Amino acid sequence: MEMEQLYQSYKPLLFSLAYRMLGSVMDAEDIVQETFVTFEKLENPQSITNVKSYLCKITTNCCIDQLRSASHKRETYVGTWLPEPVVEDYLADPASSYFMKESVSTAYLMLLQQLSEVERAVFLLREVFQYDYDEIASMVDKSSTNCRQIFHRAKKSLVHEPDSYPQNYKQMSVYVEKFMAALQNGEISEMLQMLKKDAIFFADGGGKVKAAIKPIYTADRITQLFKGVINKLPENAAFNFKRVNGGPGIVVTIDGDVAYVVSFEFKDRKIKSVYMVANPDKLSRLNEDRSKGMKQGNN
């Protein structure tokens, strides 16, 4: 295959892997570019029998290196760290639609942060991308037996309780819209009914904007927080219901710029967790893509 053909064929897969590893759209895109540059510089790329696995190996190792070099930044991060949100309508690259089909929730991405760099790589390559242990071993430079042990240890440590009442996207979207309507109308009792009593609110301002540094617990405190936030928003704030990381979410714009992206986790037909990204660094790409879209629309 020519490089351009390779790029078009494997970019979505590599981006999906890198994003899950890093939780950052911008960093994942950089890693994908680095992967193809590295591959192109090989002395004899034609001799590689399994190009897909080899590209995944380069991406995986680049991600591991990046996570290790950025560990200090993560340790000193101000407040709660949340992954950079992926908003479906803002994906400029059509090839990224593959990623959306294979998307994972904010809650799941946060769980992955509990794993070490190598554990995360082995877990994702096995659980999500269905590689066998021999292939994974060659990607992370471990033995097949070791990879099997790493995977089972990682899976055991990730406590993820799936919703006992699975809901489809449309049902959850309606629920989120009702929740926002109740918030805008000041119907506190309605909001409380839609939240689990032990619900948790996470905000990521990254120390750049005002946001709750620690998680907010219980439905009562979350409703009061939301009420305070919405009362402080300017009149030109707009609420747009979008697909965020594969689930229903809200993009809040002020003067047309994305200010907040909110996503939800459900359990027992109620909202269990609310995730709000306000860090402008993690929203800059959404605003750049929006500006590009507006320019193209005016041409």
Side-chain angles (χ1 to χ4, degrees):
M1 270 194 233
E2 295 293 328
M3 278 305 299
E4 182 60 30
Q5 193 177 352
L6 279 175
Y7 186 78
Q8 295 301 326
S9 297
Y10 295 120
K11 180 191 172 186
L13 168 66
L14 301 179
F15 174 79
S16 182
L17 171 59
Y19 176 72
R20 284 178 169 90
M21 284 286 292
L22 305 172
S24 167
V25 174
M26 290 182 286
D27 289 344
E29 289 178 335
D30 289 343
I31 291 290
V32 172
Q33 293 291 340
E34 186 179 344
T35 295
F36 284 104
V37 169
T38 302
F39 186 83
E40 195 170 19
K41 288 180 179 178
L42 293 174
E43 287 187 11
N44 189 17
Q46 292 81 13
S47 65
I48 296 169
T49 55
N50 191 333
V51 173
K52 180 181 174 183
S53 289
Y54 198 88
L55 288 170
C56 282
K57 176 178 181 175
I58 298 172
T59 296
T60 298
N61 284 287
C62 286
C63 287
I64 290 173
D65 290 343
Q66 170 125 343
L67 286 167
R68 285 174 176 163
S69 64
S71 61
H72 177 68
K73 279 187 180 179
R74 186 67 62 84
E75 288 169 6
T76 57
Y77 194 83
V78 178
T80 302
W81 180 94
L82 293 178
E84 183 183 341
V86 173
V87 182
E88 186 175 31
D89 288 4
Y90 289 77
L91 282 171
D93 187 349
S96 296
S97 60
Y98 169 90
F99 170 73
M100 291 309 301
K101 291 173 187 173
E102 302 296 326
S103 188
V104 289
S105 69
T106 304
Y108 195 73
L109 289 171
M110 286 185 71
L111 275 177
L112 292 174
Q113 304 307 308
Q114 299 172 20
L115 302 176
S116 70
E117 298 87 1
V118 174
E119 284 176 336
R120 199 180 310 176
V122 171
F123 180 79
L124 288 171
L125 289 167
R126 178 64 179 168
E127 181 81 356
V128 178
F129 298 97
Q130 301 294 302
Y131 280 103
D132 61 43
Y133 290 112
D134 287 337
E135 288 178 298
I136 297 171
S138 69
M139 292 182 201
V140 297
D141 296 322
K142 304 278 185 184
S143 70
S144 177
T145 301
N146 198 355
C147 287
R148 187 186 296 271
Q149 292 170 341
I150 291 171
F151 172 76
H152 289 297
R153 186 169 64 242
K155 191 165 186 177
K156 190 176 180 181
S157 69
L158 291 181
V159 181
H160 181 66
E161 299 176 5
D163 195 333
S164 54
Y165 295 96
Q167 296 167 300
N168 62 35
Y169 177 80
K170 188 174 181 181
Q171 288 174 324
M172 292 189 294
S173 296
V174 170
Y175 206 80
V176 169
E177 289 177 22
K178 285 182 178 179
F179 180 78
M180 280 307 301
L183 172 59
Q184 289 174 297
N185 295 328
E187 298 169 351
I188 301 299
S189 60
E190 182 75 13
M191 290 175 64
L192 288 170
Q193 287 179 17
M194 301 176 81
L195 286 161
K196 287 185 69 67
K197 286 185 179 180
D198 60 350
I200 312 174
F201 171 83
F202 300 91
D204 180 346
K208 306 291 178 71
V209 296
K210 190 174 180 180
I213 292 178
K214 295 182 178 180
I216 305 296
Y217 296 90
T218 76
D220 287 314
R221 292 185 66 196
I222 292 170
T223 52
Q224 292 304 315
L225 175 80
F226 264 115
K227 188 179 175 183
V229 169
I230 204 165
N231 287 338
K232 291 177 182 177
L233 287 175
E235 289 184 5
N236 60 355
F239 299 88
N240 307 283
F241 297 100
K242 303 289 183 183
R243 186 186 289 266
V244 179
N245 284 80
I250 302 164
V251 175
V252 182
T253 59
I254 298 174
D255 286 329
D257 290 327
V258 178
Y260 307 98
V261 174
V262 185
S263 56
F264 302 84
E265 181 185 15
F266 293 83
K267 186 168 177 60
D268 302 333
R269 297 176 184 170
K270 290 194 175 186
I271 296 171
K272 177 186 177 183
S273 304
V274 183
Y275 307 93
M276 185 180 80
V277 177
N279 184 342
D281 293 344
K282 294 184 178 181
L283 303 176
S284 61
R285 185 181 181 280
L286 298 180
N287 284 315
E288 286 172 9
D289 288 348
R290 176 184 161 277
S291 298
K292 287 177 186 175
M294 290 178 65
K295 287 178 181 178
Q296 290 173 357
N298 292 331
N299 290 338

